[in-house]
DNA sequence: CGAGAGTTTGAAGGCAGTCAAAACTAGTGG
DNA sequence: CCACTAGTTTTGACTGCCTTCAAACTCTCG
């Protein structure tokens, strides 16, 4: 099931064929739950490859739901379309993270998923995953946990939007990205944001201008160094104080 | 497993012993997914009774996670505690609805659940439900769907908080309750709110004063009749226009 | 290089928050 | 049964944070 690899692959140094057992992200993507001998069965159903370019849709809202996806490299944003046609960013998905679980309830995606840069994903056909879950209880449990994590994360965002100021929201988001980078053994203090200021603002319930102003202020205070999308956290404690909110 | 019924039961006309098959809420709580002969097995693991009084906790944040709960009668609110000790209302749970799924990820509840009035719940031990899911695939699927529904609902709230004004938020919340009442074959236009103005405001990211002002304004406009916690929707279309947001 | 998108900065205005106090409700015990 | 108190809700006046509007600036990539 690896015949659909697109030939013009992006300049990515990871082998798109690598199995879950060899994937350096598997501690994030499949924590503890699946035994070595069972990984082979999982590998069989997972479709790899499918590199997306910036702006490409992984799926559209209202598409029939067939699969969930694990990000291998790159970044994806999830958006919902509101009644008046505006878009609401509901999440950013970094390597090792799973997206698409919103579609399970109705068998239809409620979000669209868009690549923010060149991005590779593993496609996990959900019906086959369900069948496999019956044979591998730890896989079932793992998916329950993944979905519960998503619920917890969404509720954290609800709290952020409901109770926190613009500065606190921006600080919290940067800390969240920092933490998730660190989990991937990347720098927690120096990284490149894949999303635009507009996406950040949309996600955080703020305007572009406010996001920009907050970043400028943090820079002036010596908490951050901001160069376009390159962010360096100069004063981690200062940023934590500015966030004043739980970050996963 | 029904020995733990508390003797001083509330003045509730529903028999706390009624099985899922006979429960008049089962079309909400267990939609389509479980067959008649399998309901017996489910009935066996569900613990009934446990009436809660106003202010009682069903579980506390940081309690070990053992079960999810279905509301039989009454209302429950879920709250998260933020870093600074404030509480954030993350949801209201009406009869037929399931709560507690936030605890699956970490095996610890991240929310507390509090009865807003005399409330009866069915307790569903999660470990046993997981075992049963392996034998009854439609039950597994149903739980995936329930959790996905929760994700979708949380994302709708995120959108509401991120994009909508105070009037729109209050209107949306009232419409949501109206819809959920209607699903239980209760009036969609005349009902009693179980939660205080403070809880409403907390849930919607608004202050008590703002909620009160918005309700007064709707009353003045003839959209609502508000008498304390008794709400009558006089102009459903007007309320929908005021909401200008998708309500499930 | 040039056009369009994205970002930054400034000035002004509005919506909801904060502070304050009155009106009302509910629960308690004499 | 009523008096009393604590809590909830409502209303008003003022403040402030973020938005809106506008314009200059910068980067990207055909």
């Amino acid at each position: 099931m690896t015949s659909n690899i697109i030939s013009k692959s992006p300049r990515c140094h990871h082998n798109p064929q690598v199995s879950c057992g060899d994937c350096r992200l598997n501690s994030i993507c499949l924590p503890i739950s699946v035994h070595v001998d069972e990984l082979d069965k999982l590998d069989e159903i997972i479709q790899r490859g499918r590199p997306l370019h910036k702006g490409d849709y992984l799926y559209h809202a209202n598409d029939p739901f067939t699969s969930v996806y694990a990000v291998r490299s790159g970044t994806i944003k999830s958006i919902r379309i509101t009644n008046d046609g505006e878009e609401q960013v509901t999440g950013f998905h970094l390597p090792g993270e799973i997206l698409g679980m919103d579609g399970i309830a109705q068998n239809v995606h409620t979000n669209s998923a868009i690549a923010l840069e060149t991005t590779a994903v593993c496609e996990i056909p959900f019906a086959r995953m369900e069948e496999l879950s019956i044979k591998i209880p730890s896989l079932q449990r793992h998916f329950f946990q993944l979905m519960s994590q998503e619920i917890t994360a969404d509720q954290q965002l609800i709290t952020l939007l409901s109770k926190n100021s613009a500065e606190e929201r921006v600080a919290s988001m940067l800390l969240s990205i920092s933490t998730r980078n660190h989990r991937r053994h990347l720098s927690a203090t120096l990284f490149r944001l894949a999303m635009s200021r507009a996406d950040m603002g949309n996600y955080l319930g703020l305007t572009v201008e406010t996001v920009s102003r907050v970043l400028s202020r943090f820079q002036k205070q010596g908490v951050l160094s901001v160069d376009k999308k390159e962010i360096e956290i100069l004063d981690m404690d200062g940023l934590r104080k500015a966030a004043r909110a739980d970050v996963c």
Side-chain angles (χ1 to χ4, degrees), chain A:
Chain A
M1 281 297 169
T2 52
S3 58
N4 63 345
I5 303 293
I6 297 170
S7 56
K8 186 189 155 210
S9 87
R11 226 166 290 154
C12 172
H13 53 291
H14 308 310
N15 176 2
Q17 295 300 327
V18 69
S19 66
C20 290
D22 296 329
C23 178
R24 101 210 128 77
L25 292 169
N26 69 11
S27 65
I28 302 172
C29 177
L30 296 167
I32 46 169
S33 70
V34 181
H35 285 95
V36 185
D37 53 331
E38 294 166 337
L39 268 179
D40 294 340
K41 295 182 199 159
L42 190 59
D43 272 334
E44 276 172 28
I45 71 169
I46 291 180
Q47 325 231 343
R48 295 170 218 288
R50 295 174 118 274
L52 302 170
H53 298 95
K54 182 172 176 172
D56 286 351
Y57 279 73
L58 180 57
Y59 50 81
H60 286 80
N62 298 321
D63 279 357
F65 166 77
T66 59
S67 302
V68 298
Y69 302 86
V71 180
R72 288 177 70 69
S73 65
T75 311
I76 290 196
K77 71 167 173 180
S78 288
I79 62 170
R80 270 166 54 86
I81 303 297
T82 67
N83 272 359
D84 11 325
E86 283 180 292
E87 69 178 51
Q88 168 70 42
V89 176
T90 52
F92 300 107
H93 310 279
L94 308 186
E97 299 173 351
I98 309 271
L99 70 154
M101 294 179 292
D102 56 275
I104 297 170
Q106 318 260 234
N107 253 341
V108 163
H109 283 290
T110 59
N111 288 301
S112 301
I114 304 171
L116 292 177
E117 56 190 329
T118 303
T119 298
V121 299
C122 298
E123 178 175 357
I124 307 169
F126 193 71
R128 304 191 62 185
M129 198 290 300
E130 273 184 305
E131 288 166 30
L132 201 55
S133 289
I134 290 168
K135 293 175 202 146
I136 311 176
S138 64
L139 184 62
Q140 177 186 312
R141 166 131 273 247
H142 179 59
F143 260 86
F144 281 136
Q145 287 178 337
L146 277 178
M147 296 184 73
S148 176
Q149 263 170 42
E150 170 90 39
I151 291 171
T152 305
D154 286 345
Q155 289 181 349
Q156 236 170 278
L157 181 56
I158 288 168
T159 306
L160 199 67
L161 294 173
S162 188
K163 294 235 179 316
N164 294 101
S165 68
E167 285 204 2
E168 290 161 350
R169 294 185 210 181
V170 173
S172 294
M173 178 179 170
L174 293 176
L175 285 175
S176 169
I177 290 175
S178 164
T179 303
R180 287 145 82 192
N181 280 343
H182 189 61
R183 204 169 42 160
R184 290 156 56 204
H185 310 293
L186 300 179
S187 171
T189 55
L190 181 60
F191 47 85
R192 184 174 188 287
L193 296 174
M195 70 291 293
S196 66
R197 300 285 189 267
D199 284 335
M200 289 181 66
N202 190 317
Y203 177 70
L204 296 171
L206 302 169
T207 58
V208 200
E209 295 93 323
T210 301
V211 173
S212 176
R213 270 186 259 269
V214 169
L215 288 176
S216 298
R217 217 173 304 153
F218 281 151
Q219 172 143 286
K220 210 160 286 169
Q221 295 166 1
V223 176
L224 296 179
S225 160
V226 182
D227 174 22
K228 184 87 184 119
K229 297 192 167 177
E230 299 287 339
I231 302 285
E232 183 171 9
I233 301 175
L234 301 174
D235 176 4
M236 185 62 87
D237 279 342
L239 192 61
R240 288 217 184 88
K241 262 178 223 148
R244 202 192 54 99
D246 7 73
V247 176
C248 55

